[in-house]
Amino acid sequence: MVINPFILMLTIYFIANTYAFFNVVQGGGFFAFDNFYDLSIESIIVTYILQVFFFVITYLFYYGFFKKQSLVVELGDRYGYFLLFITVSFFIFNLSTGAGKAGSGFSFEETNIFNYLFVLLQPDIWFLIVAPFLRSKRLFWLVSVVFLFSLLSRGWMGSVLIIFLVYLIRYYPVKVTLKNSFLFFILGIILALLLPVFDALKWGLRSSLALSVIFSNLLAKDYWTVFTLVFESVIDRFQNFKYAAYTIQNSMYFQDQLFIGNISWFYQNGILSAIYCKFTHCPTDLNIYVAETMVGEVGLTWNVDPGLSGWVGMLGIYSPFIFAFTLLILFFSAYFFRRVIGTRGVLLFFTFSLLYFFHGWFNPFFNLVLYSFVFYFLLKLRVLCYEKNYSYHHGS
């Protein structure tokens, strides 16, 4: 059996969202942020249909583009050292300044040239673009370890999942046999048992607590009680059904806020939009606006994820715009990744389409597509220039 990262994540997302669907139907709503949010059966059913629709659409695109082919892109050591340098630099920068922590709302009081540099550079995106294609196993694992600690230091527990998916993409096809199945099973059990540790690090580092305080707080609690809570929380992270349904339930309100300019449009994301917003006022992202509406506060530094389904349901009669946008970006991006990067590029694109695009995390998704295009265009240009120079010198 081959572990396909896209099929694996699609299965997990389908099960998690279906499980959430039945829970919401049974309860007539959901409990979050110390409140219970009622949902109509119509909103619940529409949301689930939209969720399944986007799963099917994404799979059909994947099926159409994922074909066995001879193109295998491998990047030499210089690209590995470049990735290692910017990953280590970003790690040190965040540790020394306190920037980048999830949910902290940190901002520099004065202009910081390195902050602008890293915002433009997007080191985390470069890990996804470069790491799966490194020829050197040593550099791949070295960069992965630094990347893991870098994300953990910023309170992102999802770093373990990201590295696992990048591993599956780089070494595709990863086959599970009788010989290695026991090893995968043991590793899975170890990672599951470490979930309370990762969760403690996540919240402790977000609160700038010392490691000694984080672990002492964890040891003071009943481990299995914490494990149960964290495990349920992790499973819950693979669904956005509840927030999509809430957005659809209140679609008229959010649609009004969108058209009067209080919410930014779905295409107003990514690094280009971020640069534009530095020079002018930009509305609040839907993910943040929905969270602020739910808790009754403004200026939140965290968000929820209504995702594509929430956007479609909220737009109503205007939803063909986002349907067309979705189909176009999936088609042209998948065509680029398949034509220029090959099979592993297709796996990379569709796997992170689920993690980012489906969830409505448009910023990292747009940056992944844009930076991949720029990088591999420059890479192709460099190869073409080298071939022309080689032919010229040897043909004269």
Side-chain angles (χ1 to χ4, degrees):
M1 182 181 72
V2 174
I3 305 180
N4 183 306
F6 170 75
I7 299 299
L8 173 66
M9 294 309 301
L10 184 65
T11 303
I12 292 174
Y13 275 119
F14 176 76
I15 292 173
N17 279 273
T18 301
Y19 179 70
F21 165 72
F22 284 114
N23 282 341
V24 171
V25 168
Q26 185 179 24
F30 64 97
F31 189 83
F33 316 123
D34 298 325
N35 289 303
F36 184 81
Y37 300 93
D38 293 297
L39 295 174
S40 67
I41 190 64
E42 292 83 4
S43 298
I44 296 172
I45 293 175
V46 168
T47 302
Y48 188 69
I49 291 173
L50 288 173
Q51 297 284 80
V52 173
F53 171 80
F54 281 116
F55 286 145
V56 172
I57 287 294
T58 307
Y59 175 77
L60 290 177
F61 271 98
Y62 160 81
Y63 182 79
F65 283 97
F66 185 72
K67 299 176 181 178
K68 291 184 179 180
Q69 49 190 294
S70 58
L71 177 60
V72 176
V73 174
E74 288 189 335
L75 300 176
D77 288 358
R78 68 177 65 185
Y79 298 101
Y81 288 123
F82 162 75
L83 179 60
L84 180 62
F85 174 75
I86 63 173
T87 305
V88 170
S89 301
F90 194 44
F91 186 19
I92 295 173
F93 172 76
N94 287 316
L95 282 179
S96 60
T97 62
K101 288 185 179 179
S104 67
F106 177 90
S107 61
F108 289 96
E109 296 181 359
E110 300 178 355
T111 301
N112 188 300
I113 188 66
F114 291 106
N115 180 53
Y116 289 125
L117 176 63
F118 285 121
V119 168
L120 289 173
L121 197 57
Q122 296 286 313
D124 292 344
I125 294 295
W126 282 106
F127 177 80
L128 301 181
I129 297 172
V130 175
F133 310 101
L134 288 175
R135 184 182 300 116
S136 171
K137 293 181 180 180
R138 179 179 60 87
L139 279 173
F140 170 76
W141 286 111
L142 182 58
V143 173
S144 296
V145 170
V146 176
F147 180 75
L148 171 66
F149 284 106
S150 177
L151 282 187
L152 284 178
S153 70
R154 287 176 268 152
W156 291 102
M157 192 171 64
S159 56
V160 178
L161 174 64
I162 291 176
I163 290 175
F164 176 63
L165 293 174
V166 169
Y167 163 81
L168 292 177
I169 294 169
R170 186 194 187 280
Y171 289 98
Y172 186 85
V174 176
K175 298 181 179 179
V176 178
T177 63
L178 289 176
K179 185 177 180 180
N180 63 15
S181 59
F182 181 73
L183 176 61
F184 278 107
F185 177 76
I186 294 299
L187 288 175
I189 293 297
I190 292 174
L191 285 175
L193 292 176
L194 287 176
L195 284 177
V197 177
F198 289 127
D199 188 68
L201 287 171
K202 167 186 172 180
W203 295 110
L205 291 171
R206 287 187 182 189
S207 303
S208 300
L209 298 178
L211 289 177
S212 58
V213 176
I214 294 173
F215 284 109
S216 63
N217 290 341
L218 176 62
L219 294 173
K221 302 174 183 177
D222 179 69
Y223 191 86
W224 294 110
T225 300
V226 176
F227 174 82
T228 302
L229 294 173
V230 174
F231 185 78
E232 291 177 354
S233 173
V234 170
I235 297 299
D236 194 57
R237 290 292 292 173
F238 288 108
Q239 63 84 27
N240 67 328
F241 180 86
K242 295 182 293 187
Y243 302 122
Y246 175 84
T247 304
I248 292 174
Q249 172 95 2
N250 300 279
S251 59
M252 294 305 298
Y253 169 74
F254 290 119
Q255 188 182 112
D256 289 342
Q257 297 305 305
L258 174 69
F259 284 116
I260 65 176
N262 289 333
I263 298 176
S264 61
W265 285 82
F266 52 86
Y267 54 80
Q268 293 176 298
N269 282 275
I271 187 63
L272 297 180
S273 179
I275 294 173
Y276 172 77
C277 291
K278 287 292 183 181
F279 300 98
T280 186
H281 170 73
C282 288
T284 304
D285 182 78
L286 176 66
N287 296 7
I288 297 177
Y289 202 90
V290 172
E292 291 177 342
T293 303
M294 293 182 72
V295 300
E297 299 179 17
V298 295
L300 297 181
T301 57
W302 53 272
N303 57 66
V304 295
D305 44 352
L308 285 175
S309 300
W311 266 103
V312 169
M314 184 261 286
L315 285 173
I317 61 173
Y318 304 99
S319 60
F321 290 108
I322 194 168
F323 275 125
F325 178 81
T326 298
L327 296 178
L328 288 173
I329 198 168
L330 286 179
F331 177 81
F332 286 108
S333 298
Y335 178 80
F336 162 76
F337 276 86
R338 174 171 169 252
R339 183 70 180 269
V340 179
I341 312 177
T343 302
R344 288 185 291 177
V346 174
L347 281 175
L348 173 70
F349 173 71
F350 282 106
T351 300
F352 284 91
S353 291
L354 287 175
L355 264 73
Y356 295 153
F357 193 47
F358 170 76
H359 269 284
W361 299 335
F362 299 136
N363 268 316
F365 177 75
F366 291 166
N367 287 340
L368 174 63
V369 173
L370 176 63
Y371 280 66
S372 296
F373 177 80
V374 171
F375 175 63
Y376 284 98
F377 174 78
L378 294 175
L379 191 64
K380 281 285 185 180
L381 187 63
R382 177 178 176 274
V383 171
L384 289 174
C385 290
Y386 173 80
E387 290 176 348
K388 288 182 179 180
N389 290 332
Y390 183 85
S391 299
Y392 172 78
H393 288 302
H394 286 259
S396 58

